[in-house]
């Protein structure tokens, strides 16, 4: 994509077409795009994420044909999809579990980036675009969850939209705007439906930019060492396409397991009860993929403070490229950082568990500790470790690292998936 | 798998006991686990049981509880009780359904048809409350998915529930069979017109008097209509009502799984062959 394509269509019609709209040479460049040959399976999640987006959009469009965004009908229209629409149950379960699969994939994708230093120069913009996608995904999933208009849909919407009232001066105005009235009601449902339909296409747009930004420097790789020569790479097609396809199918097996055998495992029972503004559920809990952030929100006793901390937990990701002071990208060669990386992962899990439990007793203390550690990791540990750590010697090139690991049989230790 | 689930359950229960009263406080009792035929990856509904369950629903529960998401035609659809077409027509025709307006602009009553929704016992929530001492008898269409019979400590719950599910059908069975005398200290402040039921989610006092009685219905297939049997049957029927496509889902799931696993193997071989000459 950088510079002019070397591709010349042979067919005269194709030639004529390509000259006016160079789609053919662009697709060609995509297929031959040189990609590091030592990528492990963690690099297949980009493709898996694109597949997830397509699945959500396709199933979503079909759902929208049968769904009614009205407080009196939304719940029953979803049940109508489940019962009376041909294969409606399948479409709905795919869409519902697809959201969870999407987040599983995106979290692995992000952690991959953090482990191998993929956010470091020259890929900062690529990383920032990724964080924007994450934010859009969260907004989309949150609004989607409101649509079936169950108890948790309603009360989740109420709790989360209420948070905006903590913003100084304009807070109340923002909340009224979100609600389209003075509480969560029909106008809220309507605008959420409209936005829920819009945002996936915004995501698709940012994904296009994300991939564009990827094609300038090319992919990072497990060694973090930049590509030095053609020896280090393989053409994207067929090498990477086939590998990605295999990984995507394995991912679909997990996906299908949930859709066909545990379709409601990841949801909340209480959402099978229609929204009731007069009956507050005992525990209001978001979907699993929001739990760590929910824990951070509740760790701060002050409303505005909680909102800032929760927002900050994502905003801090934008600054990660500049918080990291290490010269070396990959954690493979960073013995100290590598340990802190895993501590970070464990800490996020703990936050998730805290988020799922009522904010009382020990949970409060654990939540506050874990929240503090979350920020400590980004704001203190990452800058400091980068400065004091003595990285292991780097291989001269990707090819060399591959050769060095050959006698031992398998390629150098790859983190389990 | 069943044994594994049992082991996990046992482990969880013992830890729950150790975890003590803090955990138990304010929570309904754990429902007794039942080996329903529709559990597990290959489980299907037991037609005879669904038919018996429908009979219990129709003769007992439907006096108070609606099931708005069901149509009479569903009773004949595959994967359900599978009553014959004639039976479904006869069942529907037992109800007087309001229709209209006719040419004169009048509403009128006519016998039900298979395409009609299950007739609700009350026309609105206030009427339902008024007839039930102020308590609202909830709609039964989704009750087995909206309630959980099993409560475990957080550190085992996600693992056990992967095997056992949430215990929704067990919850229904437990509420129906779980009436008992209140413990000494609770008996004093028993609310007027309520019964003690340690399994009721919003309990322990429930406004539904024990609805089932020994031989309260007469099963035509000769099954003994004990309270326990009726409770199991109606729980199974309500599980179907909440998830009528369960059988279709599992059988399609099996085909999809087999297809995907074979495809994955083939793709793996393709990938191996392709990458054989690349050192990576
Ligand atoms: C980024 C992609 C998307 C994500 C992460 C997402 C997420 C979700 C979630 C979590 C739900 C609630 C699931 C439930 O409990 O039913 C939902 C529902 C829904 N979504 Fe999406 N969605 C996406 C794309 C779309 C698109 C593109 C459309 C329409 C064109 C759409 C239409 C709907 C509809 C109609 C519902 C309500 C029906 C239902 O609840 O099953 N979604 N979505």
């Amino acid at each position: 994509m950088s510079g002019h394509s070397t591709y010349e269509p042979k067919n005269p019609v194709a030639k004529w077409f390509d000259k006016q709209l160079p789609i053919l040479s662009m697709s060609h460049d995509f297929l031959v795009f040189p990609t590091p040959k030592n990528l492990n399976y963690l690099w297949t999640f980009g493709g898996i994420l694109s597949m997830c987006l397509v699945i959500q959009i396709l199933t979503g469009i079909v759902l929208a044909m049968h769904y009614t965004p009205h407080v009196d009908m939304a719940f029953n229209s979803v049940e109508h999809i489940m019962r009376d629409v041909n294969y409606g149950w399948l479409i709905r379960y795919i869409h519902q579990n697809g959201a969870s699969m999407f987040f599983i994939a995106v979290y692995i994708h992000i952690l991959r980036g953090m482990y191998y230093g993929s956010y470091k120069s020259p890929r900062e913009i690529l990383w920032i675009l990724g964080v924007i996608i994450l934010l859009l995904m969260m907004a989309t999933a949150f609004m989607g969850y409101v649509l079936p208009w169950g108890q948790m849909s309603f009360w989740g919407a109420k709790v989360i939209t209420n948070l905006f009232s903590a913003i100084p001066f304009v807070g109340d105005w923002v909340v009224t705007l979100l609600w389209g009235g003075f509480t969560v009601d029909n106008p809220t449902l309507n605008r959420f439906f409209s936005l829920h339909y819009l945002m996936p296409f915004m995501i698709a747009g940012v994904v296009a930019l994300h991939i564009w930004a990827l094609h300038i420097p090319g992919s990072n790789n497990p060694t973090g060492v930049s590509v030095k020569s053609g020896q280090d790479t393989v053409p994207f097609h067929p090498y990477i396409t086939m590998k990605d396809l295999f990984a995507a199918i394995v991912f679909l097996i997990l996906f299908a397991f949930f859709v066909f055998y545990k379709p409601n495992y990841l949801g909340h029972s209480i959402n099978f009860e229609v929204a009731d503004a007069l009956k507050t559920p005992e525990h209001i809990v978001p979907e699993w993929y929001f739990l760590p952030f929910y824990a951070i929100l509740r760790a701060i006793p002050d409303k505005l403070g909680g909102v800032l901390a929760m927002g900050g937990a994502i905003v801090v990701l934008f600054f990660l490229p500049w918080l990291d002071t290490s010269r070396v990208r990959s954690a493979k060669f960073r013995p100290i950082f590598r340990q802190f990386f895993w501590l970070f992962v464990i800490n996020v899990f703990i936050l998730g568990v805290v988020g799922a439990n009522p904010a009382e007793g020990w949970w409060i203390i654990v939540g506050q500790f874990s929240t503090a550690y979350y920020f400590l990791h980004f704001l203190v540990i990452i800058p400091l470790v980068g400065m004091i750590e003595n990285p292991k010697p780097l291989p001269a090139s990707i090819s060399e690292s591959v050769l060095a690991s050959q006698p031992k049989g398998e390629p150098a230790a790859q983190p389990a998936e | 798998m069943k044994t594994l689930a049992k082991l996990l359950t046992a482990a969880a229960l013992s830890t729950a006991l150790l975890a003590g009263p803090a955990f138990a406080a304010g929570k309904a009792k754990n429902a007794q686990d039942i080996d329903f035929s529709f559990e597990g990856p290959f489980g299907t509904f037991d037609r005879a049981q669904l038919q018996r369950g429908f009979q219990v629903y129709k003769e007992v529960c439907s006096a108070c509880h609606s099931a708005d998401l069901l149509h009479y035609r569903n009773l004949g659809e595959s994967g359900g009780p599978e009553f014959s077409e004639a039976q479904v027509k006869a069942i529907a025709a037992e109800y007087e359904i309001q229709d209209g307006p006719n040419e004169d602009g009048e509403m009128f009553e006519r016998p039900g048809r298979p395409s009609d929704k299950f007739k609700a016992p009350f026309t609105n929530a206030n009427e339902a409350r008024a007839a039930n001492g102020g308590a609202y008898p909830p709609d039964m269409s989704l009750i087995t998915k909206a309630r959980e019979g099993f409560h475990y400590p957080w550190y085992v719950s996600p693992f056990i529930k992967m095997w056992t599910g949430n215990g929704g059908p067990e919850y229904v069975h437990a509420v129906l069979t779980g009436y008992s005398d209140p413990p000494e200290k609770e008996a004093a402040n028993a609310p007027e017109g309520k019964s003690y039921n340690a399994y009721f989610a919003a309990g322990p006092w429930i406004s539904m008097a024990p609805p089932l009685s020994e031989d309260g219905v007469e099963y035509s297939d000769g099954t003994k209509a004990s309270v326990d049997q009726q409770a199991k049957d109606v729980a199974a029927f309500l599980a179907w009502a909440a998830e009528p496509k369960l059988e279709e889902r599992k059988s399609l799931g099996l085909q999809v799984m087999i297809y995907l696993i074979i495809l994955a193997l083939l793709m793996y071989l393709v990938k191996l062959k392709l990458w054989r000459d690349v050192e990576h």
Side-chain angles (χ1 to χ4, degrees):
Chain A
M1 303 212 43
S2 43
H4 256 288
S5 175
T6 52
Y7 175 71
E8 268 284 335
K10 305 238 158 36
N11 179 301
V13 179
K15 218 171 188 159
W16 162 80
F17 187 92
D18 199 60
K19 208 160 169 188
Q20 301 190 6
L21 185 66
I23 278 185
L24 295 174
S25 40
M26 252 175 80
S27 330
H28 174 261
D29 291 359
F30 250 85
L31 290 182
V32 298
F33 187 70
T35 310
K37 62 183 184 180
N38 61 335
L39 299 186
N40 60 35
Y41 277 101
L42 290 174
W43 264 262
T44 61
F45 280 88
I48 289 172
L49 282 162
S50 313
M51 173 182 77
C52 286
L53 180 61
V54 172
I55 292 177
Q56 288 309 94
I57 291 183
L58 292 182
T59 51
I61 288 175
V62 178
L63 286 175
M65 293 174 185
H66 302 276
Y67 170 79
T68 313
H70 187 284
V71 289
D72 295 332
M73 288 177 270
F75 186 88
N76 281 352
S77 75
V78 171
E79 280 301 321
H80 160 72
I81 294 171
M82 296 292 292
R83 289 157 191 269
D84 298 327
V85 174
N86 286 332
Y87 291 102
W89 59 268
L90 180 60
I91 305 277
R92 200 270 175 128
Y93 277 154
I94 291 177
H95 196 79
Q96 193 178 15
N97 288 282
S100 285
M101 294 300 130
F102 210 149
F103 276 95
I104 290 177
V106 86
Y107 286 146
I108 294 177
H109 191 67
I110 292 172
L111 287 173
R112 185 279 317 260
M114 290 169 70
Y115 188 86
Y116 293 108
S118 301
Y119 50 82
K120 292 169 80 75
S121 171
R123 298 185 183 82
E124 299 96 314
I125 303 285
L126 174 59
W127 173 261
I128 288 173
L129 288 166
V131 181
I132 293 175
I133 296 174
L134 175 66
L135 280 173
L136 286 171
M137 272 176 66
M138 290 178 146
T140 308
F142 164 66
M143 296 197 190
Y145 190 68
V146 177
L147 301 184
W149 208 244
Q151 273 285 66
M152 202 64 99
S153 299
F154 179 86
W155 289 96
K158 193 133 180 163
V159 169
I160 301 301
T161 50
N162 242 321
L163 294 176
F164 289 88
S165 70
I167 306 170
F169 308 116
V170 293
D172 288 332
W173 178 80
V174 172
V175 175
T176 311
L177 189 71
L178 283 172
W179 287 344
F182 300 100
T183 181
V184 175
D185 208 337
N186 201 45
T188 325
L189 180 59
N190 279 312
R191 60 195 59 195
F192 277 23
F193 180 49
S194 169
L195 294 174
H196 183 71
Y197 207 136
L198 168 69
M199 292 183 119
F201 297 95
M202 292 168 64
I203 296 177
V206 185
V207 167
L209 296 179
H210 189 73
I211 294 174
W212 188 2
L214 170 72
H215 275 134
I216 308 296
S219 297
N220 185 30
N221 67 82
T223 65
V225 176
S226 302
V227 169
K228 300 273 158 58
S229 70
Q231 288 257 300
D232 293 345
T233 64
V234 289
F236 190 76
H237 182 75
Y239 292 95
I240 305 295
T241 41
M242 287 302 126
K243 189 172 167 184
D244 276 2
L245 207 56
F246 164 60
I249 291 163
V250 173
F251 186 79
L252 283 180
I253 294 175
L254 176 78
F255 197 149
F257 168 75
F258 278 105
V259 167
F260 291 107
Y261 295 107
K262 289 279 150 193
N264 297 308
Y265 178 77
L266 296 165
H268 302 289
S269 308
I270 195 172
N271 225 30
F272 285 107
E273 225 177 289
V274 65
D276 183 347
L278 302 176
K279 195 169 148 194
T280 319
E282 200 182 342
H283 300 299
I284 301 176
V285 198
E287 293 285 90
W288 69 266
Y289 37 80
F290 291 134
L291 289 175
F293 302 101
Y294 192 55
I296 292 175
L297 169 76
R298 296 190 304 177
I300 317 287
D302 172 64
K303 188 166 170 184
L304 179 59
V307 173
L308 288 177
M310 181 167 71
I314 301 211
V315 170
V316 73
L317 292 175
F318 282 114
F319 295 98
L320 182 56
W322 296 278
L323 287 168
D324 185 352
T325 51
S326 170
R327 287 172 298 114
V328 172
R329 290 199 190 98
S330 173
K332 219 165 152 177
F333 305 103
R334 302 184 57 193
I336 303 182
F337 170 72
R338 190 161 61 204
Q339 297 179 27
F340 280 111
F341 172 84
W342 289 113
L343 276 181
F344 172 76
V345 174
I346 293 169
N347 188 55
V348 171
F349 262 98
I350 294 175
L351 281 171
V353 174
V354 172
N357 280 284
E360 56 194 32
W362 276 98
W363 291 119
I364 299 179
I365 297 161
V366 177
Q368 290 174 338
F369 246 101
S370 290
T371 300
Y373 186 79
Y374 181 94
F375 287 103
L376 198 74
H377 177 84
F378 287 107
L379 301 176
V380 179
I381 294 174
I382 286 198
L384 272 189
V385 169
M387 285 188 262
I388 59 174
E389 181 180 48
N390 223 343
K392 290 198 250 173
L394 297 179
S397 72
I398 292 173
S399 304
E400 188 188 274
S401 84
V402 167
L403 287 181
S405 65
Q406 285 307 315
K408 278 179 275 153
E410 277 299 294
Q414 299 177 351
E417 278 172 52
Chain B
M1 224 163 75
K2 283 260 161 62
T3 23
L4 180 62
K6 286 224 172 84
L7 273 177
L8 283 170
T9 316
L13 285 178
S14 43
T15 35
L17 286 178
L18 291 178
F23 171 72
K27 277 259 167 77
K29 263 168 84 172
N30 253 6
Q32 175 205 340
D33 195 8
I34 299 171
D35 272 339
F36 282 111
S37 66
F38 50 85
E39 289 174 351
F42 306 105
T44 53
F45 291 111
D46 170 352
R47 308 282 158 237
Q49 181 170 46
L50 291 192
Q51 298 199 354
R52 292 196 303 270
F54 170 68
Q55 188 185 348
V56 176
Y57 171 76
K58 178 176 163 237
E59 292 178 15
V60 185
C61 323
S62 73
C64 303
H65 294 281
S66 58
D68 284 342
L69 297 174
L70 294 181
H71 296 79
Y72 295 112
R73 63 178 157 80
N74 297 136
L75 294 170
E77 283 164 8
S78 74
E82 298 188 359
F83 284 107
S84 72
E85 210 181 310
Q87 281 171 311
V88 172
K89 276 198 177 130
I91 291 168
E94 287 174 35
Y95 297 87
E96 285 295 310
I97 306 285
Q98 191 179 55
D99 203 344
N102 62 14
E103 287 134 33
D104 304 323
E106 313 267 333
M107 300 305 279
F108 60 92
E109 303 255 314
R110 59 156 176 80
R113 302 185 197 120
S115 59
D116 285 321
K117 280 200 332 186
F118 270 32
K119 185 170 179 176
F122 304 105
T123 47
N124 57 58
N126 287 354
E127 191 190 355
R129 278 205 188 85
N132 283 285
Y136 181 68
D139 186 86
M140 285 286 120
S141 316
L142 285 168
I143 196 79
T144 62
K145 276 157 88 175
R147 293 285 180 276
E148 303 189 4
F150 305 144
H151 316 277
Y152 303 112
W154 60 271
Y155 44 89
V156 285
S157 179
F159 307 107
I160 301 181
K161 287 189 171 179
M162 181 61 99
W163 299 107
T164 62
N166 286 335
E170 279 88 349
Y171 172 77
V172 171
H173 172 266
V175 168
L176 294 175
T177 55
Y179 290 87
S180 64
D181 291 330
E184 209 67 49
K185 58 182 191 324
E186 304 240 21
N189 43 25
E192 174 79 20
K194 294 201 180 195
S195 316
Y196 187 83
N197 190 324
Y199 297 91
F200 178 41
W205 297 100
I206 187 167
S207 297
M208 169 171 72
L212 298 175
S213 57
E214 205 71 11
D215 294 316
V217 300
E218 196 182 323
Y219 285 142
S220 58
D221 64 1
T223 308
K224 169 105 183 68
S226 64
V227 168
D228 184 64
Q229 185 64 42
Q230 293 176 63
K232 279 180 183 152
D233 292 347
V234 77
F237 171 74
L238 292 174
W240 165 77
E243 188 78 4
K245 304 292 165 147
L246 177 140
E247 292 188 7
E248 192 183 351
R249 165 160 66 73
K250 287 181 189 172
S251 77
L252 182 61
L254 184 63
Q255 297 169 44
V256 169
M257 283 305 213
I258 292 174
Y259 176 83
L260 283 177
I261 288 169
I262 292 175
L263 189 62
L265 283 176
L266 290 177
M267 285 307 304
Y268 184 64
L269 295 178
V270 169
K271 189 252 158 194
L272 273 191
K273 176 153 191 297
L274 190 65
W275 281 78
R276 200 165 44 198
D277 301 330
V278 183
E279 295 190 74
H280 63 284

